Each structure stands twice: as structure tokens, then as C-alpha cells.
Amino acid sequence: MTYTCPQQDDAVLDCDGGAATWRASVRAGAMDADKVSETARDLAAAVEKRRRVAATGAVTVVVLVALPLLLVSFLLGDRAASVAADSLVGRRHSEEQSPNNASSPAAADRLLGGLLSPEFDEGTCLSRYEALRRWKPSPFPVSPYLVERLRLYEANHRRCGPSTARYREAVAQLESGRNADHAECRYVVWLPIQGLGNRMLSLASTFLYALLTGRVVLVHEPPEMKGLFCEPFPGTSWLLPPDFPYKNGFSASSKESYVTMLENDVVRYVDDSSGAGGGANASALPPYVYLHLEQIQLRLQNHTFCEEDHRVLDMFNWMVLRSDSYFAVALFLMPAYRAELDRMFPAKGSVFHHLGRYLFFPGNRAWGIVERFYDGYLSGADERLGLQVRIVPYMAVPFEIMYEQILRCTQEHGLLPKVTNSSEQPRGLRPSSGGGGRAKVKAVLVVSLKPAYYDKLHSAYYTNATATGEVVAVYQPSHDEDQHSEARAHNERALAEIYLLSFCDRVVTTGWSTFGYVAHALAGLRPWLLTPLDWTKMRADVACVRPSSVEPCLHSPPSLVCRARRDLDPVAHLPFLRHCEDVHAGLKLFD
């Protein structure tokens, strides 16, 4: 029996020995949400047709297998027939429940509700399937539309990613010194800056931008990030090839910067949505544009999140982007993207939670640190509390003041018990010697560059009994003293500790810390957030607060002056936005 895979305008189906997989390219700028859904449904129908053809062959096989069983039944009676039937039903049930069957409940859990593709080789990334055994269940259902868009993106990345003919053609066009009209593949190149938390937030934002605009995201991996994350897309790579020519020397004032081009009249607005840049001819544009999204005095540059600017940016086939910010929030400020974002993220508080769990799995080296520490120190506890303390050098809170704030927060909210100032446990709180009585064990994971917080907390609970009878065990995986984002081993430990925090039942994090944002958002937990110090009092009046959502904060909102006369506060007119609890001018998504 032969079967020919159907083809459609924007899709190619590949048949491979009885299995059909579809690949589709989608350019969000040219294809609206309904067209995307229609394309995906057509492709799914074609795959279902192929499945039915395969099922016909399967029926033939079942009949051939069943004939000997019928003969056994005829010769040996009902008992043998019953055993044979049970065997067939049992085999079918076990196949349906197998984790390798993408439609089974076990597979749905294993793939994080459909976020992850079933096409990965498990051995290449151990954390992809092991992390979910330690995470709490997600509080946010995954939108089927988000799953649909991720599969379409993966297919487009395989078509246009590194080592493909289309990528080589696009690089040749780039090196020719001019942009091209109607390019088949378009790219956004992400450049890292600042520490690991900033990098993860900005890279997730860049990926979301690529989803919205039909671009392929390519990640510049400097030596300190080598092997830090697993590849997130099956059958391809997101790593920028090392011979890519444009990845160094950029700043806000670079001549390739979009704002500089706008100021120098290299690109121009058009009043309608037909296009922009030196007229409406894309081939007249420079070969690429640099988008600078690094915060400057807690602001992103003007002309970075206005619709007229994004119509210009959309004309470039190559974009180089550098950011230290969670600018995903700013994408929600743009009406042109909002309908698509609403469909992908019905729960606005789930954006980084889902994108982070999709993109950022530790490579096997970093995952080994996670497994050894978790299994050795945390897994046996009845409850795990994560405590993340970040002291920035330019606003260094004195140790005793911060330690007192931590104690107030954890004890006022019942996160840690008080101590009795005695090493002997109160008689009424001792576990019974008979019947296997055991005190409740609470493991406290301290994540900080400084060892002093661990030392004092460990000493308090090691030397003294608790007022509740609980046993509190305090651990700290590392204490590097200073941040060394240029060192690979430092980044591996940092990523491991982000994941360890995300496996805790409850977490306390430090205000302004992007590291803390990433950890609690991956976990899907609203943390207890240590509030910034009132420097006039040298004390925080409120030790900690619980944020309105698990979403990270955008410290540096963009100016929304655009071509209007005043800078509006988007919180006043967008119901899914609030100012951040720790950065009062910042913005965050919530439900």
C-alpha cells in the first residue's frame, strides 16, 4: 500500500515509513490568528487521514493475529478464549497508557500539558522530563492555541534554522549589504547581557516577540553559557553559528540602532499600516536593524513599543536585539499584538511560567548539581522553604538589618517557627517513642552569594529547639561571595539554584531580584517578597508582601509618548496590568 502526503501552500507533510509529521511555516505579520488556526486544522486533518490509512493496516494485522486465537478457542473452549482476549485487551490498555503514546494522560503530564514536543530524545536532556517530578502541578492550564503556535514555530525553525539552505541564503542576503523584499525566513538574534536572571527574562521576551512576528530566534552563546540550557526545539538548534558577523560592539547610539536610524532619517514612518523605512520599499533598507532594549535610568528607549515603530521594524528581515529586561510585558501594551496574546495566554499571570518551562531546561551538567543536592538534602523533608537573599553592591543593606527583616517575614507569616533559646525540646512537643512518632522536618534552602545568612540561621536552629516541635534543617548549596556572570561554573550553580528554589513548597525572595523572579515564576508560586528598605528609617515597615501574581516585574517600562503629547500610565486603562510591589514605577501582568 502506498500513500502520498498532501501538500498545501504554507505546509509540507513528510512521510517517513508509516508516520506522518507536518511542518508549517507561519509568518505572524502576514497571517492572522484565524489563518493560523485554519492552517493547523488542515494539517491536523491530513495527519488524521494518514492515521486512518495506517489503522486499516493495523486491523489487518489484528485479524491475522486473532485467527490462531480463534482456533485455540474452538479446540480448548471458553477458558482459553477468555485468557486470549484478556491478553489482547491488556496489551491495548498498556499501549494506551504508555508515556510514549502522546494521547495518553501520562504523556500529557510528561509533556507539561502539551507545552513540550513529544519528538525529543530523552537522553539528550535529562531535566526535561525529570524536573516535572519535583515541581508542584502548574496552577495554569496550557492554552491549546499556545500549543498550536509552539508546534508551528518549531516547524518554521526547522525550515529556517542554522545548517539549512534557507539560513545560508538569508546570511548571503545579509552580507550583500541590503535588505530583501518578501524574504522566506526572518530572524531575531539575541545577545546576552547582565546576570543569569536578566538573561532568562530577556530571552523569554525575545522568543515571545519571535512568536508574534514570525521570526526565528537565534541565541548567541558566549563561553560562559556553553551547554547551560538544553536545546528547546526538536530537530534543530537555536544557537547562533559562531561565524555570524554581527554580534559585538552595539550600544544605544550605534548607527545600526533603530532609534539612531529614525533620528538620522534612514527609516521613516508611514501613516498607514502598509510599511515603512525609506519609502515603502523594504529592499531600500539597511541589511539589519539593532534594537536596544537595555534599561536607561529605569526606562526603555522611546520608539521601541509604539505600533508605528513596529511597522518599520517588521520590514527588516534581520534584527539584532540586546536586552536586560522582561519586555514581554511591554508587548501587551501594543493593540496590534493583543488579540494574539489573549489567545495564547488567557491567564495573563502565566506568561513567563509557561515560556520558562518550555524554553529553559538545565543542561546535563547543571542538572547533575540539582539532582545531587535535592536528593541528598531536600527530598526527605516534609516541607521545603526557599529563602533567596540578593544584596546589590550599590544599595548594600547591612547584614543585621536584612537578617532581622527575614526573621520578621518568616515568623509573622508562619513560614518558620520561633526558637525556644534552649537546646531541649519542650516535653509536650516531643515525638512519641512508641508507634514510630517522628517530628515534622522542614528543610530551608538558603540561596545567596553571602554565607552569613546561612551561618546565622543554621546556628539558630541547630543550637535551639523550636517552639512548635518541628525540626528545621538549613542548607546552602554555594556562596560565591560575588557575582561572576562571565564564569561558566558560576552560571551552572546559579541555574541549579534557581531550579532548587522552584522545587520548594514556599519561597521568600528579595525585591528587585530578577533571579528570584525567575525561580518563583517557574514554580508557579506567589512568593513572600522582602520589601525594599526605607533608607530614612534603616528599616522596612512591612517585612514582606505577597505579589498579585507570579509574573516577573518589568523594572523599566517604555515611554508611551509615541507621537502623542503625553506619557500615559497604562495601569490606568489596561485591566491586566499593575505596578510592581517592589519597583513602584515597574509593570507586571496579573489576572
Side-chain angles (χ1 to χ4, degrees):
M1 179 185 300
T2 60
Y3 177 75
T4 302
C5 290
Q7 295 189 359
Q8 299 183 15
D9 290 342
D10 290 307
V12 177
L13 280 84
D14 299 325
C15 289
D16 183 11
T21 60
W22 58 266
R23 295 182 175 186
S25 69
V26 55
R27 182 168 172 173
M31 183 183 291
D32 60 24
D34 293 334
K35 179 72 177 296
V36 171
S37 297
E38 181 183 349
T39 301
R41 284 195 297 270
D42 291 345
L43 295 171
V47 172
E48 177 63 16
K49 180 179 178 182
R50 176 70 183 92
R51 188 192 65 77
R52 289 197 299 269
V53 172
T56 305
V59 170
T60 305
V61 171
V62 169
V63 170
L64 293 175
V65 170
L67 283 175
L69 297 176
L70 292 172
L71 181 60
V72 169
S73 173
F74 177 76
L75 295 174
L76 300 180
D78 291 344
R79 180 176 176 80
S82 176
V83 170
D86 287 347
S87 174
L88 280 175
V89 170
R91 180 180 300 175
R92 179 181 175 188
H93 177 76
S94 105
E95 288 173 354
E96 289 175 348
Q97 298 303 314
S98 167
N100 295 322
N101 179 353
S103 64
S104 73
D109 291 340
R110 191 166 180 266
L111 301 177
L112 297 177
L115 274 181
L116 305 183
S117 168
E119 299 178 28
F120 284 108
D121 175 9
E122 183 171 343
T124 61
C125 181
L126 300 176
S127 63
R128 200 185 318 272
Y129 303 107
E130 290 295 316
L132 65 91
R133 296 197 298 110
R134 295 168 173 84
W135 274 327
K136 298 293 182 187
S138 172
F140 304 107
V142 180
S143 158
Y145 185 69
L146 175 60
V147 173
E148 187 176 288
R149 288 303 310 272
L150 292 175
R151 299 297 87 83
L152 287 169
Y153 175 86
E154 291 162 2
N156 193 42
H157 199 111
R158 285 192 293 269
R159 287 189 333 114
C160 298
S163 302
T164 64
R166 291 180 176 89
Y167 173 80
R168 290 190 290 273
E169 290 170 7
V171 169
Q173 179 67 48
L174 173 68
E175 292 177 334
S176 75
R178 60 185 182 86
N179 197 44
D181 279 313
H182 310 299
E184 188 173 0
C185 298
R186 304 192 309 149
Y187 301 87
V188 53
V189 174
W190 175 83
L191 304 181
I193 190 174
Q194 303 293 355
L196 183 60
N198 296 77
R199 294 181 186 198
M200 294 174 74
L201 293 176
S202 72
L203 181 48
S205 302
T206 303
F207 176 70
L208 180 57
Y209 175 70
L211 270 184
L212 291 168
T213 57
R215 294 182 184 271
V216 168
V217 64
L218 297 176
V219 173
H220 174 41
E221 184 186 61
E224 71 268 17
M225 290 183 66
K226 186 172 177 59
L228 192 60
F229 298 111
C230 297
E231 291 278 4
F233 314 130
T236 184
S237 175
W238 70 342
L239 297 181
L240 183 71
D243 59 352
F244 185 79
Y246 307 113
K247 53 181 182 281
N248 295 307
F250 293 107
S251 70
S253 58
S254 296
K255 64 181 178 63
E256 301 89 355
S257 166
Y258 170 69
V259 174
T260 303
M261 287 186 187
L262 198 62
E263 291 171 349
N264 293 337
D265 206 31
V266 176
V267 295
R268 300 195 302 272
Y269 292 135
V270 268
D271 291 327
D272 58 29
S273 59
S274 62
N281 181 10
S283 62
L285 292 171
Y288 70 96
V289 63
Y290 168 63
L291 190 60
H292 184 85
L293 295 178
E294 185 179 355
Q295 60 176 318
I296 302 170
Q297 296 179 337
L298 291 184
R299 275 294 204 188
L300 297 181
Q301 280 188 302
N302 288 340
H303 306 293
T304 48
F305 288 97
C306 298
E307 293 201 350
E308 55 265 42
D309 296 299
H310 277 248
R311 287 197 292 268
V312 180
L313 291 167
D314 200 52
M315 300 288 287
F316 286 90
N317 299 320
W318 282 94
M319 174 186 289
V320 178
L321 185 152
R322 189 174 73 172
S323 176
D324 58 358
S325 302
Y326 183 54
F327 67 86
V329 179
L331 296 172
F332 281 81
L333 302 178
M334 301 181 59
Y337 296 150
R338 204 169 299 151
E340 188 78 351
L341 289 166
D342 286 346
R343 295 186 68 186
M344 288 193 282
F345 301 102
K348 301 299 182 289
S350 70
V351 176
F352 187 85
H353 176 72
H354 286 325
L355 293 181
R357 287 189 174 199
Y358 174 74
L359 291 171
F360 300 124
F361 287 98
N364 288 350
R365 279 171 54 104
W367 182 247
I369 300 172
V370 176
E371 279 200 311
R372 287 188 294 274
F373 195 91
Y374 184 87
D375 293 345
Y377 300 101
L378 303 179
S379 63
D382 298 296
E383 184 180 339
R384 287 163 288 276
L385 172 68
L387 172 60
Q388 182 256 343
V389 186
R390 174 70 168 122
I391 304 296
V392 293
Y394 54 87
M395 293 178 64
V397 180
F399 167 75
E400 291 295 343
I401 291 175
M402 178 59 87
Y403 185 78
E404 182 273 337
Q405 185 175 345
I406 291 168
L407 286 186
R408 273 196 294 140
C409 172
T410 54
Q411 293 179 358
E412 285 174 4
H413 295 281
L415 304 175
L416 282 178
K418 294 182 178 180
V419 295
T420 62
N421 295 321
S422 168
S423 61
E424 185 176 350
Q425 195 79 294
R427 183 176 297 277
L429 296 175
R430 293 176 185 171
S432 169
S433 59
R438 183 179 73 87
K440 178 181 177 181
V441 177
K442 177 173 288 188
V444 180
L445 172 73
V446 178
V447 172
S448 176
L449 290 170
K450 309 297 182 183
Y453 298 96
Y454 160 78
D455 289 341
K456 190 161 185 176
L457 201 60
H458 174 266
S459 177
Y461 285 103
Y462 177 74
T463 306
N464 303 291
T466 64
T468 60
E470 294 172 272
V471 173
V472 176
V474 185
Y475 306 104
Q476 183 174 21
S478 71
H479 43 81
D480 288 5
E481 289 286 355
D482 298 306
Q483 184 169 319
H484 292 285
S485 299
E486 77 287 352
R488 177 183 175 189
H490 175 90
N491 289 326
E492 287 176 342
R493 289 191 293 273
L495 182 58
E497 290 172 28
I498 283 174
Y499 261 75
L500 288 168
L501 281 170
S502 79
F503 296 152
C504 291
D505 302 295
R506 297 190 285 183
V507 291
V508 177
T509 61
T510 307
W512 286 76
S513 172
T514 55
F515 186 104
Y517 294 161
V518 171
H520 74 68
L522 281 174
L525 293 174
R526 288 193 302 129
W528 279 264
L529 188 70
L530 295 168
T531 55
L533 193 68
D534 182 341
W535 289 92
T536 64
K537 301 177 181 178
M538 291 304 289
R539 188 178 191 273
D541 290 333
V542 178
C544 57
V545 295
R546 294 201 79 184
S548 57
S549 78
V550 308
E551 271 288 288
C553 175
L554 170 60
H555 292 173
S556 46
S559 169
L560 296 181
V561 173
C562 299
R563 296 162 79 179
R565 292 187 176 181
R566 54 198 183 98
D567 194 356
L568 298 173
D569 179 2
V571 170
H573 57 91
L574 292 177
F576 49 80
L577 280 182
R578 280 190 179 175
H579 290 299
C580 307
E581 294 79 5
D582 51 339
V583 184
H584 297 310
L587 297 175
K588 71 185 304 180
L589 298 164
F590 85 109
D591 296 294

